Amino acid sequence: MVKLNVAITCGYLFYDLVLLACNWSTMGDIFFVCHHLAALYAYGFVLTRGVLPYFANFRLISELSTPFVNQRWFFEALAYPRTHPLVVANGVAMAVVFFLVRIAVMPPYWAKVFGTFGTPAFERLGLAAQVAWIVSCVCLDILNTIWMYKITRGCYKVITGKLRGGKVDSKKSNYINNHTD
């Protein structure tokens, strides 16, 4: 079951990378590319060697925030103003869910990871799998922390009405969403 979950996720990540490449001016973000490549690197070991299934599934929990992130893009593409109640509700839900499934889980995840260090099972993984596991997770957690900061800042601006220089801009003239705000 884990391999199926990971395989479906890898398919999504590959497809999303193609979409990002084809639509870089409107969708492109180097952080998304780094996220996808780090996940694919680690998940490659799960699929090819069958290692670390518990940790792979644990990391997949973070994708529960993806529907809210994608809905944000749809609202932008449909030119909904950022102050529209649906956009605000989605943004708040995105912030809460993103925090719960990507940030709040970091301490227990890393406690489990550190608990494996020095064990025979950790040694059996070999250096390549160890590096893929640890480096990809560090990269993903750094990206998630950066994104959480941006999400929180954006929520604060919309909720307090401080978007676009002190005023909430409900006009969408030539706005391109490249996920950098």
Side-chain angles (χ1 to χ4, degrees):
M1 189 61 140
V2 173
K3 279 189 169 185
L4 178 62
N5 289 341
V6 171
I8 289 169
T9 301
C10 287
Y12 168 80
L13 293 170
F14 276 122
Y15 180 74
D16 205 40
L17 280 173
V18 171
L19 282 178
L20 287 169
C22 293
N23 301 289
W24 188 258
S25 64
T26 56
M27 295 174 62
D29 183 350
I30 194 66
F31 289 148
F32 282 166
V33 173
C34 291
H35 168 272
H36 289 19
L37 293 177
L40 286 167
Y41 177 52
Y43 289 154
F45 281 88
V46 176
L47 293 176
T48 61
R49 296 188 187 178
V51 296
L52 303 167
Y54 169 83
F55 293 98
N57 248 6
F58 197 105
R59 294 307 296 213
L60 281 175
I61 292 169
S62 69
E63 295 308 321
L64 292 172
S65 65
T66 301
F68 299 101
V69 174
N70 289 346
Q71 186 59 48
R72 177 182 178 264
W73 185 87
F74 283 111
F75 283 139
E76 293 284 348
L78 294 170
Y80 274 64
R82 290 184 178 186
T83 55
H84 190 282
L86 288 175
V87 177
V88 174
N90 181 70
V92 171
M94 178 177 70
V96 169
V97 173
F98 196 97
F99 175 78
L100 291 174
V101 301
R102 293 185 186 233
I103 304 300
V105 298
M106 285 181 195
Y109 177 81
W110 284 104
K112 284 278 195 190
V113 170
F114 293 142
T116 68
F117 287 3
T119 64
F122 183 78
E123 298 304 322
R124 279 193 307 271
L125 286 174
L127 185 60
Q130 292 167 350
V131 169
W133 179 25
I134 303 304
V135 170
S136 65
C137 289
V138 167
C139 291
L140 291 170
D141 286 345
I142 289 169
L143 289 170
N144 286 329
T145 303
I146 291 167
W147 285 330
M148 186 74 246
Y149 170 76
K150 289 182 172 192
I151 289 168
T152 303
R153 191 181 71 202
C155 259
Y156 175 79
K157 286 180 181 179
V158 169
I159 290 170
T160 61
K162 294 182 178 178
L163 194 60
R164 303 250 187 235
K167 296 179 186 171
V168 174
D169 182 14
S170 61
K171 303 264 193 240
K172 290 292 193 184
S173 58
N174 297 328
Y175 180 76
I176 295 177
N177 179 16
N178 60 8
H179 303 287
T180 59
D181 59 340

